[in-house]
Amino acid sequence: MYSLGLVLAGGAARGAYAAGVMRYLFRELPKNLGHVPWPQIVAGTSVGALNGVFAAAQDIQGVDRLSRLWQEMSVRQVYRVGSGGLIRTLRATWAATAGAAILDATPLYGLVQRASPWRALRTSISSGACRAFIVSCTQVDTGFNVLFLDSREPDLDLRPLPGARVVMTQVRQKHLLASAALPILFRPVKIDGAWFVDGGLRQNTPLRPALMAGADRVIVVGATSEADDKQVVRHPNLTPNIPFLAGKALNALLADPVVRDLRSAERVNRIIAWGVEHYGPDFADKLEADLDVRQSRTLLIRPSTDFGVLAAQRWRATPPPMPLQVRWLLSAMADRANASDGESDLLSYLFFDRAFTGEVERIGFEDARRQEEHIVEFLAEGD
């Protein structure tokens, strides 16, 4: 029997997409599959870690709760502008000596503590149902990618690359919040004397750690559209203003080389297949025994919709009710100068409202449903 992994990328408000994919995988797919395909290994970054705790807990009621959270989301549940107003907050952030940020994420702290399935997670980990839950963060002072590993197997070796380290721990609220702390926007989180921010700065889609943890098959859920890989010139008449550049910079910052990791895994598969063909099946067995290298299969599920376009459309149609200062901030991010292109990537990361996240969650569910035949084959192959 193979070990199934689930890898969830970061993307702030775009994280609603993974929640929709998970609703399909754990609620709808079992009707045809005959069982719930819970992953034994879960790795997530930023909002991927916030979503991933529900998969690691293997709690179907928790998955339902996660889906409802994204479908009914409001900005007030995630962040607010300081009581002094946006301008004063910006000044205070610039002059602060520690821990300052433009947005106050206190509401998110309470939401994560209340909504996350902590008891189910501990049961899942202690029983071995989930072998590993991996949360990716970035340590501020060193710039290292830190992988917080929750597992009952103390000898589990993730073989971190240079510039990364692994910390064995019981994942708690602080680890999830640290992974989701976008620099400048949200304040860093202190863990064991060190400050941490969003793991997407170094590894937004932690595929390699999942493979190193022992996953033979991995479902990877991304947060950027398939169309992003195909268009060479998307904005022939663009105005390169601050909202546009900030959105594209955030896209680039969170776009780590997951496709390269996928190709690397496929290259290993081809080498093993070549060795088996020329030297017999013992080649694969010895390679795994001596070097812990084995074949793996991956399935990438990515949005069929450009979320920058969707965010702009939803905001222009009916800006949802929210505090005045937050409305002003998001309106500034809506990038009206490039409205003809119908896109606002920056807005799509902070548009934590059901008008946007509810639709993104639905798209995640439908994208996964369209791949049902492929997913069933992926999960059943060689079973």
Side-chain angles (χ1 to χ4, degrees), residues 78 146 148 180 254 267 303 321 345 368 380:
V78 181
V146 177
F148 290 105
L254 298 181
R267 188 178 303 113
D345 288 325

Side-chain angles (χ1 to χ4, degrees), residues 352-372:
F352 286 94
D353 186 274
R354 62 179 65 91
F356 176 66
T357 60
E359 180 64 10
V360 170
E361 196 275 346
R362 185 195 67 78
I363 291 169
F365 182 89
E366 293 300 330
D367 281 356
R369 186 205 291 273
R370 278 192 290 272
Q371 295 192 48
E372 178 172 297

Side-chain angles (χ1 to χ4, degrees), residues 9-20 47-48 51 70 221-225 228 234 247-248 250-251 254 303 305-309 311 343-352 356-357 360-361:
R14 297 181 179 204
Y17 182 80
V47 72
N51 286 331
W70 285 108
V221 183
T224 56
S225 169
D228 291 342
R234 298 184 60 186
K248 294 306 177 186
L250 195 54
N251 280 351
L254 298 181
T305 300
D306 186 318
F307 290 150
V309 172
E343 175 182 308
S344 180
D345 288 325
L346 184 59
L347 178 65
S348 73
Y349 288 105
L350 289 177
F351 198 176
F352 286 94
F356 176 66
T357 60
V360 170
E361 196 275 346

Side-chain angles (χ1 to χ4, degrees), residues 12 25 46 73 98 103 106 125-126 131 145 177 188 204 208 251 265 267 303 344 350 364:
L25 290 176
S46 190
M73 183 71 69
L103 301 174
T106 300
I125 295 289
S126 62
R131 290 187 57 216
N145 174 218
L177 293 172
N204 197 47
R208 187 179 186 278
N251 280 351
R267 188 178 303 113
S344 180
L350 289 177

Side-chain angles (χ1 to χ4, degrees), residues 88-328:
R88 184 174 295 179
T89 297
L90 289 171
R91 289 174 177 170
T93 299
W94 188 265
T97 57
I102 293 174
L103 301 174
D104 177 2
T106 300
L108 177 63
Y109 295 3
L111 179 64
V112 170
Q113 186 58 38
R114 292 190 309 272
S116 300
W118 299 113
R119 184 175 298 179
L121 175 66
R122 294 270 50 89
T123 299
S124 180
I125 295 289
S126 62
S127 68
C130 178
R131 290 187 57 216
F133 178 36
I134 305 164
V135 175
S136 176
C137 297
T138 302
Q139 187 170 334
V140 173
D141 57 338
T142 64
F144 269 44
N145 174 218
V146 177
L147 302 170
F148 290 105
L149 171 61
D150 196 344
S151 174
R152 72 170 187 176
E153 302 176 27
D155 297 328
L156 192 61
D157 185 6
L158 300 186
R159 288 176 284 169
L161 294 171
R165 65 186 180 95
V166 178
V167 176
M168 289 283 296
T169 188
Q170 287 190 1
V171 168
R172 301 186 185 279
Q173 176 196 28
K174 59 187 178 182
H175 302 100
L176 302 184
L177 293 172
S179 183
L182 277 168
I184 303 176
L185 291 176
F186 301 132
R187 68 175 182 261
V189 176
K190 201 170 190 178
I191 302 174
D192 298 331
W195 292 100
F196 293 89
V197 293
D198 198 300
L201 300 184
R202 291 299 303 268
Q203 189 172 52
N204 197 47
T205 312
L207 171 59
R208 187 179 186 278
L211 293 172
M212 295 301 101
D216 304 300
R217 300 184 193 182
V218 184
I219 297 175
V220 181
V221 183
T224 56
S225 169
E226 300 167 357
D228 291 342
D229 296 338
K230 301 173 183 177
Q231 298 188 36
V232 178
V233 179
R234 298 184 60 186
H235 300 274
N237 300 310
L238 71 85
T239 301
N241 56 7
I242 293 298
F244 181 88
L245 293 175
K248 294 306 177 186
L250 195 54
N251 280 351
L253 194 64
L254 298 181
D256 65 352
V258 64
V259 174
R260 278 180 281 171
D261 285 348
L262 290 167
R263 290 179 179 175
S264 178
E266 181 56 33
R267 188 178 303 113
V268 171
N269 290 342
R270 291 200 303 270
I271 291 171
I272 294 174
W274 175 88
V276 169
E277 180 182 353
H278 287 80
Y279 300 106
D282 289 347
F283 178 87
D285 296 337
K286 189 156 183 63
L287 199 62
E288 181 171 2
D290 293 351
L291 301 177
D292 197 23
V293 174
R294 64 193 179 283
Q295 286 187 313
S296 61
R297 296 187 180 93
T298 56
L299 174 64
L300 177 61
I301 301 177
R302 299 177 63 184
S304 59
T305 300
D306 186 318
F307 290 150
V309 172
L310 178 64
Q313 290 173 344
R314 292 292 165 149
W315 183 262
R316 288 197 301 269
T318 310
M322 59 183 61
L324 181 61
Q325 295 284 344
V326 174
R327 177 185 293 277
W328 184 90

